[in-house]
Every structure is written in C-alpha cells, then in structure tokens.
Amino acid sequence: MSLKIQYTLVGIIVLIALVWAAVRFHRTIKRKNSSCTGCSLKDNCKKNPAKKI
C-alpha cells in the first residue's frame, strides 16, 4: 500500500473517532444525570442526586 493511502485511511479512522467522541460528549451534557451516564451502577449509586426515595 502506498503512503498516501495509509495516511488517508488513518485520517478517516481518526475523524470517525472524533465524531463518535463528540456525539458521546454531547449526549452526556444534554442529559439531566450527565455524571452517571453510561455507568452500569447508576441505579444503585448513593451519589445519584436524581434518584429520590
């Protein structure tokens, strides 16, 4: 493979990773319970301010 094709493929992969990270960051900020987004223990966490008992 030529060097130009390799740089192009790496650039595409980096661009996809940046877009994915930006989307995840935007979703995290957009949600009310942003600090626990994606955590598998968020329903049982004592630090969770959104959970009212």
Side-chain angles (χ1 to χ4, degrees):
M1 239 193 287
S2 74
L3 193 59
K4 192 179 229 184
I5 293 173
Q6 289 177 4
Y7 280 142
T8 303
L9 290 175
V10 169
I12 290 170
I13 291 170
V14 168
L15 182 64
I16 290 170
L18 287 173
V19 168
W20 178 81
V23 168
R24 294 282 297 190
F25 183 70
H26 178 70
R27 284 184 188 170
T28 300
I29 290 177
K30 191 175 176 182
R31 293 186 181 163
K32 268 195 324 190
N33 193 11
S34 63
S35 64
C36 295
T37 302
C39 179
S40 61
L41 300 174
K42 70 180 178 181
D43 294 331
N44 298 321
C45 183
K46 293 180 183 177
K47 294 180 183 178
N48 191 348
K51 186 176 181 182
K52 304 285 183 186
I53 296 176

